[in-house]
Amino acid sequence: MEEKSVLKKMTTVLAVSAAAMFATTNAGMAQTKLKWAHVYETSEPFHTASVWAAQEIGKRTNGRYAIDVYPASQLGKEADINQGLSLGSVDIIISGSSFAAKSFPPIGVTYYPYTFRDADHLLAYTKSDIFKELTKGYEDKSGHHIIAVTYYGVRQTSSNKPIKTCADLKGLKMRVPDVPAYLAMPRACGANTAPIAFAEVYLALQNGTVEAQENPLTTIEAKKFYEVQKHIVLTGHIVDHLNTVVAGALWKKLSDEDRKIFTDVAQEAAAKATEEIKQNEAKLVAFFKEKGLTVTDVDKKEFRDTVLKNVAFETFGYRKADWERIQDVK
């Protein structure tokens, strides 16, 4: 009898242990934790859309993935989080194509001045064959997978000097990020560019270290550059955008079903942020006029022709044929 009792107890213990192990395994599967990182502020659409996406992926996978979003460079600057995809310190990021171009230069052609006509042209590109080819090239080189593109805004120029033509930029002291494609338009037009740190731009404009800068209207408003500038010049030289990138290690582990969920949700989130940015931009011309600034439209073709004449695609490692194919995207 004692043997049977001991055996029964052992069986019960083993059963409970097995159940506990099973539950732990399932719980582990249910709570696969992922890190989603970016460098934008919590008030910006890129962050609010990321938080929505993280929660939505959790819902659509029945809680198998728990994603924490780290905004405002909490996990490092943009270069750091791009590197983090390979190091395993982040799983998903939002980042510009200029960083993707460090692994695969041709994808950076989307930052060449006057590549896109407007936000709709950019979005049409994301559904094109050339987009598939460039993102595949990036994936082949880096191992990471781009699942969505978000419109960031059109880069415009602000200045304390009236600007109507490309030649009006000649000799102008202008702050431009130290990114080759961003420098292309100002330098083609003859501006004296200065790579001042973003955090110091307001003061540099205020004290006259530089007379002009370029950024999307939403950034000019958010950083209050309009307080220390007299003119907004709608040069529209770069239609800026961000990529949502999944680390290769994670992408390989995802089932086809989960890959579809991650992609669908990321694209829905990108669409939400894109629409918000477009609406904000549409309101800002009137806002700047109310603040007493002059808003000037320019002949973009004249600017574009000058850039194409003076700046070679090969300078950046881009392929002119890719740029030409993007022009044909409808």
Side-chain angles (χ1 to χ4, degrees):
M1 288 287 290
E2 283 186 19
E3 285 184 14
K4 286 184 179 180
S5 178
V6 170
L7 187 60
K8 187 175 181 181
K9 284 181 181 178
M10 287 180 63
T11 304
T12 303
V13 169
L14 287 170
V16 169
S17 298
M21 287 176 63
F22 181 75
T24 301
T25 304
N26 277 358
M29 287 176 64
Q31 292 299 316
T32 299
K33 291 189 176 294
L34 302 175
K35 293 179 180 179
W36 179 314
H38 64 77
V39 300
Y40 302 97
E41 300 301 321
T42 55
S43 59
E44 295 188 82
F46 315 111
H47 176 67
T48 53
S50 296
V51 171
W52 175 85
Q55 294 171 344
E56 192 66 17
I57 288 172
K59 288 178 187 175
R60 296 191 195 181
T61 59
N62 298 316
R64 286 183 287 108
Y65 294 96
I67 304 175
D68 291 320
V69 179
Y70 296 85
S73 302
Q74 288 179 10
L75 297 185
K77 296 177 182 178
E78 200 156 3
D80 299 325
I81 62 174
N82 273 271
Q83 191 175 18
L85 290 171
S86 297
L87 296 176
S89 56
V90 296
D91 303 290
I92 304 169
I93 67 169
I94 298 177
S95 176
S97 284
S98 58
F99 287 89
K102 291 180 180 180
S103 297
F104 181 63
I107 199 171
V109 72
T110 55
Y111 274 70
Y112 189 88
Y114 301 104
T115 295
F116 298 111
R117 293 181 288 276
D118 50 31
D120 291 337
H121 184 202
L122 165 67
L123 297 174
Y125 154 76
T126 66
K127 299 176 177 63
S128 69
D129 289 340
I130 181 66
F131 172 77
K132 292 173 186 172
E133 290 170 24
L134 289 174
T135 53
K136 183 180 185 301
Y138 166 73
E139 185 168 6
D140 289 345
K141 286 288 186 181
S142 68
H144 311 309
H145 188 76
I146 294 173
I147 57 174
V149 176
T150 304
Y151 173 60
Y152 184 78
V154 179
R155 297 183 81 90
Q156 313 285 9
T157 302
S158 71
S159 172
N160 282 330
K161 171 188 171 184
I163 296 169
K164 292 186 178 178
T165 67
C166 185
D168 290 336
L169 267 71
K170 189 172 183 180
L172 190 72
K173 293 182 293 183
M174 185 173 181
R175 184 270 173 179
V176 184
D178 193 18
V179 175
Y182 288 159
L183 292 162
M185 184 280 285
R187 287 187 176 173
C189 294
N192 292 328
T193 57
I196 293 167
F198 189 50
E200 299 168 14
V201 175
Y202 184 98
L203 184 60
L205 292 169
Q206 188 178 46
N207 63 27
T209 302
V210 290
E211 306 164 87
Q213 66 84 48
E214 56 80 59
N215 260 300
L217 296 183
T218 48
T219 302
I220 294 171
E221 187 272 332
K223 298 299 182 183
K224 301 189 184 299
F225 295 155
Y226 62 86
E227 294 180 346
V228 287
Q229 297 275 259
K230 296 175 182 176
H231 304 275
I232 300 291
V233 188
L234 302 178
T235 47
H237 48 285
I238 295 176
V239 177
D240 222 337
H241 58 283
L242 302 173
N243 300 315
T244 305
V245 191
V246 177
L250 170 60
W251 189 251
K252 287 174 185 173
K253 292 178 185 176
L254 296 178
S255 66
D256 289 344
E257 181 185 359
D258 285 346
R259 284 182 178 186
K260 185 176 189 310
I261 290 171
F262 274 65
T263 302
D264 288 349
V265 171
Q267 291 182 359
E268 288 171 36
K272 288 175 184 289
T274 293
E275 192 55 38
E276 193 171 339
I277 293 294
K278 287 168 73 174
Q279 289 176 7
N280 290 344
E281 275 189 316
K283 300 171 187 174
L284 285 174
V285 167
F287 171 82
F288 292 129
K289 287 180 178 178
E290 287 170 10
K291 293 294 181 181
L293 281 78
T294 301
V295 180
T296 306
D297 272 308
V298 298
D299 180 357
K300 290 179 187 172
K301 184 178 184 303
E302 187 247 338
F303 277 77
R304 175 186 172 187
D305 290 348
T306 303
V307 172
L308 290 173
K309 179 182 176 183
N310 294 325
V311 183
F313 286 86
E314 292 72 25
T315 303
F316 310 106
Y318 306 158
R319 300 180 298 219
K320 189 175 181 181
D322 292 336
W323 186 85
E324 290 172 341
R325 287 178 65 193
I326 291 172
Q327 302 309 296
D328 293 334
V329 171
K330 295 289 190 286

